[in-house]
Amino acid sequence: MKMKSSLKPTGEMCLICEEHKQTGIHILHQYICMDCEKKIVSAETNDEYYKHYLNQLRKLKLVNSSV
């Protein structure tokens, strides 16, 4: 019988990967984890996840305009 964990995730939720991480940066009051920051900085326009990064980064504009 499995027991449910009552632990809450630690850290902040990353705007890009939507996972809770401990280290990262804040841009326009939104958190981007260090792993995603590195991936974004080194991404080429033909990379598989390039469009995903762009779509997620567009949320910065949407979130900031509602502040």
Side-chain angles (χ1 to χ4, degrees):
M1 189 173 186
K2 289 185 179 180
M3 297 184 85
K4 287 187 177 180
S5 175
S6 62
L7 296 175
K8 292 184 179 182
T10 59
E12 296 182 66
M13 184 180 291
C14 175
L15 178 73
I16 307 300
C17 66
E18 298 178 345
E19 294 180 13
H20 285 84
K21 302 284 181 94
Q22 294 292 325
T23 58
I25 60 172
H26 288 93
I27 300 175
L28 298 174
H29 306 288
Q30 293 296 306
Y31 177 75
I32 298 176
C33 73
M34 188 164 302
D35 294 334
C36 288
E37 176 193 359
K38 288 178 183 178
K39 290 176 185 176
I40 291 167
V41 170
S42 64
E44 298 290 332
T45 55
N46 60 348
D47 286 347
E48 181 179 343
Y49 285 101
Y50 183 76
K51 286 185 181 179
H52 172 71
Y53 298 144
L54 287 180
N55 288 332
Q56 294 300 89
L57 288 169
R58 283 185 182 107
K59 291 180 182 179
L60 288 171
K61 183 178 178 182
L62 295 174
V63 171
N64 194 44
S65 66
S66 64
V67 175

mmCIF file of all heavy atoms in Angstrom, residues 13 19 27-28 38 42 45 53 55:
data_model
loop_
_atom_site.group_PDB
_atom_site.id
_atom_site.type_symbol
_atom_site.label_atom_id
_atom_site.label_comp_id
_atom_site.label_asym_id
_atom_site.label_seq_id
_atom_site.Cartn_x
_atom_site.Cartn_y
_atom_site.Cartn_z
ATOM 1 N N MET A 13 8.077 27.944 -9.200
ATOM 2 C CA MET A 13 7.709 27.286 -10.439
ATOM 3 C C MET A 13 8.268 28.067 -11.629
ATOM 4 O O MET A 13 8.021 29.252 -11.776
ATOM 5 C CB MET A 13 6.210 27.139 -10.597
ATOM 6 C CG MET A 13 5.860 26.361 -11.856
ATOM 7 S SD MET A 13 4.124 26.125 -12.135
ATOM 8 C CE MET A 13 3.716 25.011 -10.830
ATOM 9 N N GLU A 19 8.231 23.446 -13.650
ATOM 10 C CA GLU A 19 8.652 22.604 -12.534
ATOM 11 C C GLU A 19 9.165 23.502 -11.421
ATOM 12 O O GLU A 19 9.605 24.618 -11.668
ATOM 13 C CB GLU A 19 9.766 21.647 -12.971
ATOM 14 C CG GLU A 19 9.326 20.632 -13.986
ATOM 15 C CD GLU A 19 10.459 19.699 -14.385
ATOM 16 O OE1 GLU A 19 11.507 19.682 -13.705
ATOM 17 O OE2 GLU A 19 10.297 18.997 -15.391
ATOM 18 N N ILE A 27 12.616 37.581 -14.267
ATOM 19 C CA ILE A 27 12.471 38.556 -15.349
ATOM 20 C C ILE A 27 11.032 39.034 -15.325
ATOM 21 O O ILE A 27 10.104 38.220 -15.418
ATOM 22 C CB ILE A 27 12.790 37.935 -16.725
ATOM 23 C CG1 ILE A 27 14.224 37.411 -16.757
ATOM 24 C CG2 ILE A 27 12.560 38.958 -17.837
ATOM 25 C CD1 ILE A 27 14.588 36.679 -18.020
ATOM 26 N N LEU A 28 10.840 40.335 -15.178
ATOM 27 C CA LEU A 28 9.493 40.918 -15.100
ATOM 28 C C LEU A 28 8.623 40.184 -14.082
ATOM 29 O O LEU A 28 7.498 39.808 -14.351
ATOM 30 C CB LEU A 28 8.826 40.894 -16.488
ATOM 31 C CG LEU A 28 9.527 41.711 -17.570
ATOM 32 C CD1 LEU A 28 8.851 41.469 -18.915
ATOM 33 C CD2 LEU A 28 9.519 43.182 -17.233
ATOM 34 N N LYS A 38 19.847 28.315 -19.288
ATOM 35 C CA LYS A 38 20.972 27.818 -20.081
ATOM 36 C C LYS A 38 20.500 27.302 -21.436
ATOM 37 O O LYS A 38 21.145 27.540 -22.456
ATOM 38 C CB LYS A 38 21.702 26.715 -19.318
ATOM 39 C CG LYS A 38 22.500 27.222 -18.149
ATOM 40 C CD LYS A 38 23.169 26.090 -17.412
ATOM 41 C CE LYS A 38 23.903 26.599 -16.191
ATOM 42 N NZ LYS A 38 24.514 25.503 -15.434
ATOM 43 N N SER A 42 21.498 29.016 -25.180
ATOM 44 C CA SER A 42 22.257 28.244 -26.160
ATOM 45 C C SER A 42 21.393 27.702 -27.305
ATOM 46 O O SER A 42 21.912 27.046 -28.209
ATOM 47 C CB SER A 42 22.973 27.080 -25.468
ATOM 48 O OG SER A 42 22.028 26.182 -24.927
ATOM 49 N N THR A 45 17.775 28.523 -33.641
ATOM 50 C CA THR A 45 16.408 28.664 -34.168
ATOM 51 C C THR A 45 15.876 27.372 -34.773
ATOM 52 O O THR A 45 14.663 27.213 -34.898
ATOM 53 C CB THR A 45 16.341 29.771 -35.235
ATOM 54 O OG1 THR A 45 17.293 29.493 -36.256
ATOM 55 C CG2 THR A 45 16.622 31.132 -34.615
ATOM 56 N N TYR A 53 10.168 27.490 -26.266
ATOM 57 C CA TYR A 53 10.762 28.569 -25.472
ATOM 58 C C TYR A 53 10.109 29.904 -25.820
ATOM 59 O O TYR A 53 9.770 30.689 -24.933
ATOM 60 C CB TYR A 53 12.270 28.681 -25.711
ATOM 61 C CG TYR A 53 13.072 27.465 -25.323
ATOM 62 C CD1 TYR A 53 14.176 27.083 -26.058
ATOM 63 C CD2 TYR A 53 12.737 26.694 -24.217
ATOM 64 C CE1 TYR A 53 14.926 25.971 -25.707
ATOM 65 C CE2 TYR A 53 13.468 25.589 -23.859
ATOM 66 C CZ TYR A 53 14.565 25.226 -24.610
ATOM 67 O OH TYR A 53 15.301 24.132 -24.265
ATOM 68 N N ASN A 55 7.111 30.480 -27.084
ATOM 69 C CA ASN A 55 5.732 30.511 -26.574
ATOM 70 C C ASN A 55 5.698 30.749 -25.070
ATOM 71 O O ASN A 55 4.875 31.522 -24.579
ATOM 72 C CB ASN A 55 5.001 29.218 -26.924
ATOM 73 C CG ASN A 55 4.672 29.126 -28.386
ATOM 74 O OD1 ASN A 55 4.492 30.145 -29.054
ATOM 75 N ND2 ASN A 55 4.595 27.917 -28.909
#
